[in-house]
Amino acid sequence: MKPATMLPRIACLASALLLAACATPDQPAPQKPAAPTLAQVMSEADAAARAGQYERAMTLLQRGGASYPADKAPWLQMAQMKFDRGQYGDAIGHALEALERDPDDKVANSIVAVSGLRLSGKALADLSRQNNLNGSLRSEAQDLAKLLRASIGEDVLVPPAKRPLAAGKRAATSGSGSAAAKGAAAPGSTADPFSGLK
């Protein structure tokens, strides 16, 4: 064969190979599974929590919080789960995250308030047990108790159980004795200002 006829044949063969390569169908790229919706994440976390898989539920909720950063639902659910387990510090942290997304959320505000009170109550009980509740700390605790009483509109945070009066005592408390009884029951007249908190 002559070299002049060989060159067109090679060009024709190369063209045929290129056309054959172009004609093969493209292999579809492997598709990533679609990210679960927030509703799916919350449902799966709820199912895990009901099944007693607490850590798995928390992991799912944390992933949901990362995938949907503007939504308060995962943070609120984590706060509720921590609160239910008595982990009040963590509950406050998660509830504050929910409040960043919705400052008016009543459940998150309630978790922060009640968790804070329970932590404070435990700390005050520990200090009281150690007999170190005095001075400025004692006055701060008294101020807090006054604020709590004012916010719920009650003179005593936890009212004592009322006992029925005996017939003889009813007669003794009528008349001038009732003013003395009222004076004895006035707030702040007891020796222990925290007696209403017990």
Side-chain angles (χ1 to χ4, degrees), residues 41 45 53-65 78 81:
V41 170
Q53 299 170 341
Y54 176 77
E55 293 301 323
R56 182 170 182 269
M58 288 301 291
T59 301
L60 288 167
L61 290 169
Q62 288 168 347
R63 286 183 191 156
M78 285 188 279
M81 289 175 68

Side-chain angles (χ1 to χ4, degrees), residues 103-173:
D104 297 328
D105 189 274
K106 290 181 182 179
V107 174
N109 276 311
S110 297
I111 289 173
V112 170
V114 174
S115 295
L117 288 172
R118 289 190 179 171
L119 288 174
S120 297
K122 182 185 180 313
L124 287 172
D126 290 345
L127 284 172
S128 180
R129 191 173 41 253
Q130 297 168 3
N131 292 325
N132 288 334
L133 187 60
N134 54 29
S136 65
L137 183 59
R138 183 178 187 94
S139 65
E140 284 182 43
Q142 289 170 334
D143 291 342
L144 177 62
K146 288 177 190 174
L147 176 66
L148 289 172
R149 283 193 290 270
S151 66
I152 63 171
E154 296 289 330
D155 290 337
V156 178
L157 290 178
V158 181
K162 293 185 179 183
R163 293 182 223 143
L165 294 175
K169 290 186 179 182
R170 280 189 210 144
T173 59

Side-chain angles (χ1 to χ4, degrees), residues 1-11:
M1 267 194 180
K2 294 183 182 175
T5 60
M6 188 88 133
L7 191 58
R9 287 185 180 174
I10 292 176

Side-chain angles (χ1 to χ4, degrees), residues 28-79:
Q31 294 182 0
K32 286 191 236 176
T37 66
L38 183 59
Q40 290 170 331
V41 170
M42 297 299 291
S43 176
E44 194 174 336
D46 188 44
R50 277 186 275 132
Q53 299 170 341
Y54 176 77
E55 293 301 323
R56 182 170 182 269
M58 288 301 291
T59 301
L60 288 167
L61 290 169
Q62 288 168 347
R63 286 183 191 156
S67 297
Y68 299 93
D71 202 299
K72 69 178 179 178
W75 298 103
L76 193 57
Q77 184 66 24
M78 285 188 279

